Amino acid sequence: MKNLKNLLSKPWQPTPSWFVLAWSLVSLVGFLDATYLTIQHYTGGNVNCNLFSGCEKVLASPYAIIWGVPLALVGVAFYLLMLLLMVLHWEHGVRWALLLGILGSVGAWVFSLVMIYLQLMVIESLCQYCLLSALTATTLFILSLVWLRRQTVAE
Amino acid sequence: MNNENSSEDLTIKEQRELQRQEKQARAEERARSQGARRWLVWFGVALVIVGGVWGMTKLAKQQPTVVTGEPIPAVSASDRTNGATNAKVTLIEYSDFQCPACGAYYPILKKLNEELGGKVMFVYRYFPLRGIHQNAQISAQAGEAAGLQGKFWQMHDILFDNQAVWSDLPNAQDTFVKYATNLGLDVERFERDMDSDAVKNKIENDYQAGIKSGINSTPSFFLNGEKITGPQSYEEFKKLIEQALATNA
């Protein structure tokens, strides 16, 4: 809690450029993945499920749509936001942009865990595109941890 | 370090002023180049995003066309057939029990079978559009499981007759078991078969063969191996089949 307070009030260690690059690239991968699924969702195209059979089952399950919005589209918005927030932070030095990105990455990681649980236990099929998204979300989460650690260790 | 020097003399004051001005000029210059850089970065990001979306659209569209061309497999013993055996004309349908268009063609095909069943063989192959129909796969499994007890076509009819009933059910499987009971099937075996790998593989094989032949929608009809674009009416369909009968007589 004290660390968090310090984080908000004290000046930060400069964000290293490799961090910005990694974060942006991972967000971009997640964005492309989600975009592909969104296009397939709306055009009704056949998703290429060559890694695990039954990935269509995941994409056609009730869990693929939340309040009438396909999850893939939520993914597009999320990864786009993650990318733009990082650019906003890096180019304009906006602090809340990075904090929001970190908060988002934690949320997305927890959400991904729930989705993997659903795939394994409820739908009993895996979808490679969804797993890729879980991987990018996890990477963003790890990057967030690394960043937070840099800030607290330096104090 | 930060101690203010109270006894400044003029030269130091002048030097400081000079330094301040230089610093300001540098800052302005930096701000100018930074502004240009920022503009470039945002432009680059926008470009990558637009390019990415464009690329994904291309990729999504590409798939069906990449795999077209292979002829559909010939009718084999594992196929679900109806009508004449050893017929001169074969009509193969790639279909999905949950697809509304397939449901619309169902009465047409039924009528065709009644009239021309003596001369034409009708084949049903599974092409479940799992990406858009949540019960496509399980309904195909129900059809095939009924087929293993010799009642594929009866189940086929029930599934299409009741398409609207089960399409949106979260547990359509229970409904299919009821249909099986009504058909007098061995329900225990039906349930076991419906979930068996053999049945799932059969459906998957049909589906993959369809993909290889470039099928991307249902129903897709093949008259003696040639793809025909969906005839709009019973009459049109009948004419096509009669033409095929005439040329293969």
Side-chain angles (χ1 to χ4, degrees):
Chain A
M1 228 42 240
K2 189 167 166 277
N3 283 343
L4 190 70
K5 226 173 178 178
N6 283 342
L7 203 63
L8 294 176
S9 55
K10 286 198 174 163
W12 291 350
Q13 296 292 311
T15 310
S17 48
W18 65 261
F19 177 86
V20 176
L21 197 67
W23 183 285
S24 306
L25 283 179
V26 171
S27 302
L28 187 66
V29 169
F31 171 75
L32 293 179
D33 180 35
T35 303
Y36 174 75
L37 284 184
T38 306
I39 293 169
Q40 296 292 34
H41 178 92
Y42 283 114
T43 59
N46 282 306
V47 174
N48 194 354
C49 295
N50 44 15
L51 274 185
F52 309 98
S53 69
C55 96
E56 304 101 329
K57 213 172 143 190
V58 179
L59 298 172
S61 75
Y63 307 102
I65 293 173
I66 190 163
W67 298 307
V69 182
L71 268 192
L73 190 61
V74 177
V76 170
F78 169 76
Y79 286 112
L80 190 61
L81 186 71
M82 289 298 111
L83 181 64
L84 296 183
L85 284 175
M86 185 48 77
V87 180
L88 198 62
H89 168 70
W90 177 244
E91 279 303 313
H92 302 261
V94 181
R95 281 162 61 118
W96 61 258
L98 185 58
L99 287 181
L100 197 63
I102 284 171
L103 228 70
S105 78
V106 176
W109 182 65
V110 173
F111 189 77
S112 292
L113 289 185
V114 176
M115 288 297 131
I116 289 185
Y117 169 81
L118 285 175
Q119 286 177 58
L120 286 176
M121 299 299 168
V122 183
I123 311 172
E124 292 178 343
S125 290
L126 285 172
C127 140
Q128 68 225 49
Y129 303 98
C130 317
L131 290 181
L132 177 62
S133 183
L135 186 71
T136 50
T138 306
T139 314
L140 288 183
F141 176 66
I142 292 172
L143 281 171
S144 294
L145 290 184
V146 170
W147 185 87
L148 285 171
R149 183 151 178 79
R150 276 175 65 89
Q151 299 306 322
T152 46
V153 162
E155 272 171 25
Chain B
M1 289 293 276
N2 279 342
N3 281 353
E4 279 295 321
N5 200 339
S6 51
S7 59
E8 309 155 319
D9 62 45
L10 266 173
T11 49
I12 290 178
K13 215 174 183 179
E14 276 170 1
Q15 271 175 5
R16 281 205 174 155
E17 178 56 25
L18 206 66
Q19 272 173 359
R20 200 189 60 78
Q21 279 175 359
E22 274 174 5
K23 208 171 155 187
Q24 199 181 350
R26 271 204 305 276
E28 275 168 11
E29 174 57 30
R30 209 168 42 237
R32 243 198 316 281
S33 71
Q34 207 176 28
R37 203 187 91 138
R38 274 179 188 168
W39 198 86
L40 263 176
V41 166
W42 281 110
F43 182 71
V45 168
L47 213 64
V48 166
I49 290 168
V50 172
V53 171
W54 181 79
M56 287 302 117
T57 314
K58 272 257 177 206
L59 197 69
K61 270 190 193 155
Q62 204 181 34
Q63 275 174 17
T65 51
V66 161
V67 287
T68 49
E70 274 189 41
I72 56 162
V75 179
S76 75
S78 70
D79 274 317
R80 297 291 160 205
T81 62
N82 203 354
T85 44
N86 293 327
K88 293 256 167 58
V89 170
T90 306
L91 181 76
I92 299 179
E93 177 192 13
Y94 279 83
S95 176
D96 169 358
F97 287 123
Q98 200 185 332
C99 120
C102 306
Y105 270 105
Y106 155 67
I108 295 179
L109 286 167
K110 207 171 161 73
K111 205 169 159 195
L112 284 170
N113 192 10
E114 278 161 16
E115 285 209 11
L116 303 164
K119 294 176 255 177
V120 179
M121 180 190 254
F122 293 86
V123 180
Y124 185 98
R125 282 186 182 157
Y126 304 102
F127 199 76
L129 295 175
R130 293 167 286 212
I132 48 174
H133 297 144
Q134 59 167 339
N135 289 324
Q137 173 68 23
I138 191 70
S139 59
Q141 285 169 224
E144 183 58 21
L148 291 176
Q149 295 186 46
K151 291 207 166 161
F152 170 80
W153 291 99
Q154 287 87 331
M155 183 57 91
H156 165 278
D157 290 1
I158 292 181
L159 287 174
F160 275 131
D161 283 333
N162 297 287
Q163 195 187 52
V165 176
W166 56 263
S167 281
D168 291 325
L169 293 180
N171 293 311
Q173 197 157 352
D174 302 345
T175 309
F176 301 152
V177 170
K178 268 180 222 142
Y179 296 161
T181 315
N182 294 343
L183 283 175
L185 298 179
D186 174 347
V187 172
E188 233 170 82
R189 185 181 159 201
F190 174 80
E191 284 184 276
R192 207 169 49 238
D193 285 341
M194 192 156 56
D195 205 38
S196 72
D197 284 343
V199 163
K200 288 177 190 165
N201 289 341
K202 163 86 177 83
I203 294 161
E204 191 59 26
N205 286 344
D206 275 3
Y207 182 80
Q208 292 303 336
I211 291 278
K212 281 207 185 94
S213 312
I215 293 173
N216 51 18
S217 61
T218 52
S220 287
F221 296 104
F222 292 84
L223 195 56
N224 280 350
E226 292 273 340
K227 184 164 183 173
I228 53 172
T229 39
Q232 292 305 308
S233 64
Y234 168 74
E235 277 70 30
E236 232 177 281
F237 216 140
K238 193 178 169 193
K239 219 164 107 187
L240 276 173
I241 296 178
E242 280 172 342
Q243 273 168 5
L245 279 169
T247 49
N248 289 286

